[in-house]
Amino acid sequence: MIISGPAGSGKNTVAERLMEEFPNVERVLTSTSRPPRGQERDGADYNFLSPEEFEKKIKAGEFYEYAKIHERYYGTSKKSISDAFSKGGDLLLIIDVQGAKTWKKIAENNPELSGRLVTIFIVPPSLDELRSRLQGRGTETEAEIERRMKTAEDELLQTKYFDALIYSKSRDEDYAALKKIYMHAKIS
Ligand code: 5GP
């Protein structure tokens, strides 16, 4: 399962709740070349790499997909997938729209994945609400918020590529919507 959505859409919050309720949901730890923010820890939130280390791994073919977002690299390493896969649960990836599109292509050509991948996009109530959520969390500078707002506008034009959309309301409502999608995907 892939969850995408603009920064501030609440995707991490609903994903964490899903993992609490369903311990067999295994989050895939992705890699980034951006520095840790706030309380983030290497190995828990991301594999934090230097830009040079990241580029080396790209050249070595270590990623299934990677994207450059806000001038930083983000990517899903082959190792992170096999690590999560070996635990035997349902894999959850929280990545951007480019990454979700790449995974859809991978799934089309992979009999084991096709028909099993579910991509979800969380649509914020409005751009104004998104901005105030970003300002409220206080982890980005104004310039970074502006950059994320621009990315959000672009991402909102690409919702048609997703299997399911969650129109963000309250945290509880968003979680209920995600849980419904997850339960449905599990039984079908
Ligand atoms: P942030 O810097 O706010 O943690 O993340 C910025 C964006 O990168 C978010 O949309 C996040 O979901 C996305 N992201 C995180 N890991 C990956 C990844 O492995 N691949 C891709 N394509 N996007 C990622």
Side-chain angles (χ1 to χ4, degrees):
M1 188 156 74
I2 289 181
I3 304 183
S4 286
S9 60
K11 55 189 188 293
N12 287 301
T13 310
V14 286
E16 270 156 30
R17 246 174 104 170
L18 191 75
M19 289 184 289
E20 264 167 41
E21 188 169 348
F22 299 94
N24 64 318
V25 174
E26 209 56 62
R27 179 170 166 208
V28 177
L29 191 68
T30 63
S31 301
T32 182
S33 67
R34 79 153 166 76
R37 212 166 49 201
Q39 303 293 307
E40 288 179 336
R41 281 181 304 115
D42 184 41
D45 298 282
Y46 279 108
N47 286 313
F48 289 103
L49 302 172
S50 69
E52 296 74 29
E53 284 171 325
F54 207 111
E55 283 169 359
K56 230 165 127 180
K57 286 180 187 289
I58 294 172
K59 284 205 187 98
E62 290 186 28
F63 292 102
Y64 278 120
E65 66 81 30
Y66 70 91
K68 212 165 186 185
I69 309 161
H70 313 130
E71 294 306 307
R72 312 278 196 186
Y73 290 116
Y74 293 82
T76 320
S77 72
K78 293 177 180 169
K79 183 176 182 305
S80 68
I81 292 285
S82 58
D83 284 353
F85 201 64
S86 67
K87 295 182 185 153
D90 294 325
L91 303 199
L92 173 66
L93 266 161
I94 307 167
I95 59 175
D96 87 322
V97 172
Q98 305 169 63
K101 282 161 85 175
T102 306
W103 272 108
K104 276 208 119 167
K105 276 210 195 90
I106 294 173
E108 274 166 23
N109 301 311
N110 180 319
E112 269 188 292
L113 254 186
S114 79
R116 298 180 71 187
L117 178 72
V118 181
T119 58
I120 302 162
F121 186 89
I122 304 189
V123 184
S126 67
L127 288 173
D128 282 346
E129 169 66 20
L130 192 65
R131 186 188 298 275
S132 71
R133 286 187 192 175
L134 282 174
Q135 284 166 338
R137 78 182 189 188
T139 45
E140 284 97 357
T141 63
E142 265 308 311
E144 283 165 344
I145 290 176
E146 281 318 310
R147 220 155 7 148
R148 280 164 171 70
M149 291 301 297
K150 283 217 170 66
T151 305
E153 283 182 42
D154 181 47
E155 289 189 328
L156 284 164
L157 297 174
Q158 303 185 65
T159 54
K160 62 174 180 285
Y161 297 107
F162 288 82
D163 301 318
L165 302 181
I166 294 176
Y167 289 92
S168 179
K169 298 183 187 85
S170 68
R171 284 186 176 184
D172 284 348
E173 285 167 297
D174 295 358
Y175 178 62
L178 176 64
K179 184 173 163 178
K180 201 168 155 190
I181 296 165
Y182 174 61
M183 303 286 283
H184 184 262
K186 266 191 99 58
I187 53 169
S188 52

